[in-house]
Amino acid sequence: MSSTDLIIFDCDGVLVDSESIVCRILAEEMNRLGLQTTAEELDEQFSGRPARDCLLEIEKRFGGPLPDNYFGNTERRIREAFQQELQPVVGIEGLLDQLQQLGLRSCVASSGSHQKMQLTLNKTGLYDYFDGRIFSADDVSRGKPWPELFLHAADAMGVAPERCLVVEDSIAGVSAAVSAGMRVVGYSAHPVRGPQLEQQGARVVTDMMAVLNFI
């Protein structure tokens, strides 16, 4: 008998392959400000964390408030790149179809804003899988790595934390799920990230369909 009543998916890096796009553009814009960095460094530092926390980190490195046009220019470039480049994570559609066939409930709990998820999930054709069951760090006082977002999602769905399985790709997300008392599968095709997720308490998979082994 399954020990899972609800599968909670992170969005960026789990449903949509967006993090490489965001980190690339953030790195380019930060380098223009004289803040030397790389997309790989930002992926390591910011993955899974709410945008407001990442902003505070960038301002700290800059030494004060960022230029007025920084936010608008960066967001515009990210939106344009999403429209041109964004794709679903490989294998996610097959997994979601299988979950529907099994009658298992699912939802999204992401550090991204509702506006961003509406854009990315619609662009990749995944929105209808989760319509009405999408939760954002904007809904709670503290996002990942704190457990509030996952607990909020479980409560809204009427499922006890121990009956939830979280699918995450970030250290912050795995930490949040473990703190919430939930089992967690860490998805990673990155040779370094996988062991890091495992150290935080995740069962790591490199193929989305392998998530079915832990339900």
Side-chain angles (χ1 to χ4, degrees), residues 13-14 20 33 61 77 79 84 110 133 142 153-154 196 203:
V14 171
S20 60
L33 293 176
R61 290 177 62 171
R77 290 193 61 204
R79 285 196 302 271
Q84 296 172 4
S110 170
R133 306 185 312 282
R142 298 188 300 179
Q196 294 174 337
R203 303 292 295 274

Side-chain angles (χ1 to χ4, degrees), residues 1 3 15 21 25 28-29 36 43 45 51 53 56 58 77 82 84 96 101 106 112 115 155 168 200 211:
M1 182 178 294
S3 59
L15 299 177
I21 297 173
I25 293 173
E28 291 170 358
E29 292 297 323
Q36 296 303 310
D43 180 61
Q45 184 179 9
D53 291 355
L56 290 174
I58 296 172
R77 290 193 61 204
F82 281 170
Q84 296 172 4
L96 294 175
Q101 291 178 24
S106 63
Q115 182 180 25
D155 182 65
E168 265 287 353
Q200 294 297 318
V211 171

